[in-house]
Amino acid sequence: MVDTPFQQPQHLTVRQNRVLALAGVFQAAQLTHITAMTGLNRSNQSESFYLEQLIKSSLCIRPLAELPDPSLNTLDFFYGFNDLMLGLKHLESSLSRPFSIHPKSHIPKLPAAKLSTSYAISLLHLEKQIYQNPQFVEIIEQAQQKILKQFSFFDQNYLHPSIIANLAQAYLDTAGQIQPRILVRGHPEAFKDSQHTDRIRASLFTGLQMAHLWRQMGGRSRQLMFGKRKIMKDIHSIARMQYQLIEK
């Protein structure tokens, strides 16, 4: 692999920006999976950090009149590559998994894939249905405005239970109305805790928002089917840029 010259993050290509947005979807899916399997009591600081970054960005992502928009920059919604590192690693891992011996497509069959990967793919499909429905779009925008207006009352804490609950409700009022729903698997006892389920749904909501950003940048399902090598190449380029930023 040939090293690329040092680049500042704002000089990302359209394709690299799209990969970062896609990594946001996979980060949300991975956080959903971790929370469902381990619960809130076992969540660590890094997981909370990654969720907080997704919540910040999801409150700022808005629908656009025309798609795609090549001027969009994923890092306008994040501080840097570190905010999406969990998603980049999970995306790379998902693309590296061996496919079925007799696949119907280049996407691994969901029963054989990781649960979090199946959540990510489901979010990509759900996003389009949600944003084609004006009523759902209005619900999302109202939830964003409500949270941002009340943010000062939540001690400037994006992980405040009230913010998590509002995001969870926005998910229920939109994606929760579409069949089939995303079925999250986890520890049965954990789902009896409302704060636990709210965090799962809030994570899924951020995934929907990142999926929308991905589509705003020209993201399409066929890119996952036929463009796996290009996505992997962009992930590795981003990793090199991150390394060079640290070394600078």
Side-chain angles (χ1 to χ4, degrees):
M1 186 180 298
V2 179
D3 287 335
T4 57
F6 175 79
Q7 300 180 54
Q8 292 291 343
Q10 60 264 33
H11 295 153
L12 292 171
T13 66
V14 171
R15 210 174 68 190
Q16 288 168 343
N17 268 303
R18 198 159 55 220
V19 165
L20 283 174
L22 184 61
V25 180
F26 277 75
Q27 182 160 301
Q30 182 71 347
L31 290 170
T32 297
H33 176 62
I34 292 172
T35 305
M37 298 303 294
T38 62
L40 294 178
N41 294 333
R42 296 185 182 179
S43 61
N44 57 42
Q45 289 185 347
S46 66
E47 291 157 12
S48 294
F49 167 80
Y50 288 124
L51 178 58
E52 182 178 4
Q53 308 319 308
L54 289 179
I55 291 175
K56 288 178 183 178
S57 65
S58 69
L59 292 174
C60 299
I61 295 171
R62 302 286 189 271
L64 298 176
E66 295 184 7
L67 298 176
D69 184 350
S71 67
L72 285 173
N73 188 333
T74 305
L75 291 184
D76 287 343
F77 300 91
F78 295 93
Y79 291 117
F81 296 134
N82 275 338
D83 294 356
L84 291 165
M85 199 55 60
L86 176 66
L88 286 166
K89 290 178 180 178
H90 179 43
L91 175 57
E92 181 182 29
S93 173
S94 298
L95 293 174
S96 300
R97 288 180 62 84
F99 295 144
S100 171
I101 298 175
H102 303 291
K104 294 181 179 179
S105 72
H106 290 272
I107 297 179
K109 291 184 177 180
L110 296 186
K114 291 181 179 179
L115 284 173
S116 53
T117 301
S118 71
Y119 302 153
I121 294 174
S122 297
L123 287 168
L124 293 174
H125 289 302
L126 268 177
E127 176 275 334
K128 191 172 183 179
Q129 297 179 65
I130 289 171
Y131 272 90
Q132 285 178 339
N133 186 320
Q135 183 179 356
F136 288 161
V137 173
E138 184 178 358
I139 290 172
I140 291 173
E141 291 180 326
Q142 288 177 350
Q144 290 173 318
Q145 293 169 9
K146 178 181 178 181
I147 292 172
L148 291 172
K149 286 180 180 178
Q150 298 178 345
F151 185 58
S152 60
F153 296 102
F154 301 144
D155 301 322
Q156 309 294 320
N157 178 13
Y158 285 95
L159 298 178
H160 190 282
S162 294
I163 291 181
I164 298 294
N166 283 330
L167 294 175
Q169 189 61 49
Y171 177 82
L172 281 175
D173 292 341
T174 54
Q177 306 304 310
I178 299 174
Q179 297 292 341
R181 296 182 181 181
I182 297 178
L183 298 179
V184 177
R185 299 180 186 178
H187 196 286
E189 290 297 320
F191 288 95
K192 297 179 181 179
D193 184 344
S194 61
Q195 287 193 7
H196 182 97
T197 53
D198 280 349
R199 192 175 177 113
I200 290 173
R201 289 167 180 154
S203 297
L204 290 171
F205 176 83
T206 66
L208 288 173
Q209 290 295 89
M210 293 307 302
H212 187 55
L213 181 62
W214 175 71
R215 192 162 67 87
Q216 287 177 332
M217 294 177 171
R220 298 293 182 269
S221 297
R222 63 177 179 271
Q223 293 161 2
L224 292 175
M225 297 179 186
F226 307 114
K228 185 175 73 168
R229 289 184 180 179
K230 291 181 179 179
I231 295 174
M232 291 290 282
K233 180 180 178 181
D234 290 330
I235 291 173
H236 295 160
S237 295
I238 290 168
R240 286 196 298 271
M241 281 188 275
Q242 170 67 358
Y243 175 77
Q244 290 165 334
L245 284 171
I246 294 173
E247 288 292 302
K248 187 177 180 181

